[in-house]
Amino acid sequence: MAKLPSGVQTLFIGIDGGGTKCRASIMTEDLQVLGTGVGGPANPFQGVQQAKDSIRTAAELALIDAGLPPSAISGLIAGAGLAGVNVPSLYDVMSAWDHPFKEMHLTTDLHIACLGAHNRDEGAVMICGTGSCGYSFVNNESLFIGGHGFPIGDKGSGAWMGLEAIQAVLLASDDLGPRTSLSQSIGEFLQAEGMMIVDRMFGARQGDYAKFAIFVVDAADAGDAVAINIVKEGAAYMSGVARKLWATTPGRMSIIGGLAPRLIPWMDKDMADNLSPVLYQPEFGAVYFAKQALRTAKNNNDQLSATL
């Protein structure tokens, strides 16, 4: 077992659960990272049991990385930000989970991303990775934009780009759409063309479609007209999200996610220029949130004691 830093009694675990993976980091109260683990998808919209299993796996791997025994999981205070829990019914389901932690304080992945990005309560953040959405918190008021889930939402995201690309390739294969270099890159990746692509993609999920986003942005940068139209449409959507968030006067605004660096050059310049670098990753924001919850509970208890 690893020797904990002198004086450490309380350990936190920050959990960032998205549609592709779940990342968990065990930290001291002063945010010293002791260990990190990564599990599978943790968006309950895609499967509640899968989300629970991914969180537990990420936590167990973080314990191993920290040199702590499996039993230590019951002493961790968890801050968890999950994609999908902006849907009230899913929030209720995950809140009712008989989780393995000492405590679990649940919020959205957007909220912890915002707290981490700015290291303060107020700010705005956009996520542009497997999925897409926007969030601001100003003057104790939250604004959520998007986050409707794939395939009915998440425009501008990797999954959305991948779906658009597959559709464009199939149209081209039927001579009903313009030719595109995506036919070759995606065809080689899938080892398929025409109806065989349909066969390969049968039962594909959000993360499977997101794998094609890199082909789309690469092709757009190389001048492919079909790819350019896809990227421009996605970037215009994210620029619109940014504009609505910036109107709430958040002070700072950031964009995170695997696709973000490639999409920023295609966004409206005035919005791209308003983006600030991320200060901390979402797992830190999750611990920030858990510590906030503990302080609030303590203050409420102190006030209650004073009235007795």
Side-chain angles (χ1 to χ4, degrees), residues 33 57 60-61 77 95-96 177 181 184 209 239 270 279 283 301:
V33 178
T57 296
E60 290 172 348
L61 292 173
I77 296 175
S95 293
S181 62
Q184 181 177 349
Y209 281 99
S239 295
D270 61 332
L279 299 180
E283 312 94 84
N301 288 335

Side-chain angles (χ1 to χ4, degrees), residues 150-211:
F150 178 83
I152 61 174
D154 287 8
K155 192 168 184 176
S157 70
W160 174 85
M161 280 194 186
L163 178 59
E164 291 287 311
I166 291 291
Q167 291 173 340
V169 168
L170 291 175
L171 285 172
S173 73
D174 288 337
D175 288 328
L176 292 173
R179 295 188 179 278
T180 170
S181 62
L182 293 172
S183 297
Q184 181 177 349
S185 59
I186 291 178
E188 289 177 352
F189 181 83
L190 291 175
Q191 290 295 290
E193 62 181 28
M195 283 301 296
M196 286 304 297
I197 291 178
V198 178
D199 186 59
R200 290 279 197 275
M201 297 304 294
F202 180 76
R205 306 186 74 170
Q206 184 180 18
D208 299 315
Y209 281 99
K211 294 175 182 176

Side-chain angles (χ1 to χ4, degrees), residues 112-292:
I112 65 165
C114 193
L115 292 172
H118 310 302
N119 195 32
R120 65 182 192 186
D121 293 339
E122 293 197 346
V125 68
M126 294 179 289
I127 293 179
C128 188
T130 301
S132 70
C133 44
Y135 172 81
S136 76
F137 185 78
V138 179
N139 294 328
N140 290 316
E141 292 189 3
S142 299
L143 172 65
F144 292 90
I145 302 176
H148 303 135
F150 178 83
I152 61 174
D154 287 8
K155 192 168 184 176
S157 70
W160 174 85
M161 280 194 186
L163 178 59
E164 291 287 311
I166 291 291
Q167 291 173 340
V169 168
L170 291 175
L171 285 172
S173 73
D174 288 337
D175 288 328
L176 292 173
R179 295 188 179 278
T180 170
S181 62
L182 293 172
S183 297
Q184 181 177 349
S185 59
I186 291 178
E188 289 177 352
F189 181 83
L190 291 175
Q191 290 295 290
E193 62 181 28
M195 283 301 296
M196 286 304 297
I197 291 178
V198 178
D199 186 59
R200 290 279 197 275
M201 297 304 294
F202 180 76
R205 306 186 74 170
Q206 184 180 18
D208 299 315
Y209 281 99
K211 294 175 182 176
F212 303 124
I214 187 65
F215 299 128
V216 179
V217 291
D218 282 348
D221 288 344
D224 182 89
V226 170
I228 287 173
N229 286 338
I230 295 173
V231 174
K232 279 186 174 180
E233 185 176 349
Y237 172 78
M238 295 308 297
S239 295
V241 171
R243 205 170 298 282
K244 288 183 70 69
L245 294 175
W246 195 245
T248 66
T249 62
R252 285 183 105 252
M253 179 170 66
S254 301
I255 184 169
I256 65 173
L259 191 57
R262 301 295 300 273
L263 201 64
I264 290 173
W266 294 86
M267 290 176 60
D268 294 346
K269 188 177 184 305
D270 61 332
M271 288 296 101
D273 288 345
N274 283 332
L275 296 173
S276 297
V278 169
L279 299 180
Y280 294 101
Q281 293 304 307
E283 312 94 84
F284 289 83
V287 171
Y288 184 110
F289 177 73
K291 291 170 67 176
Q292 275 185 326

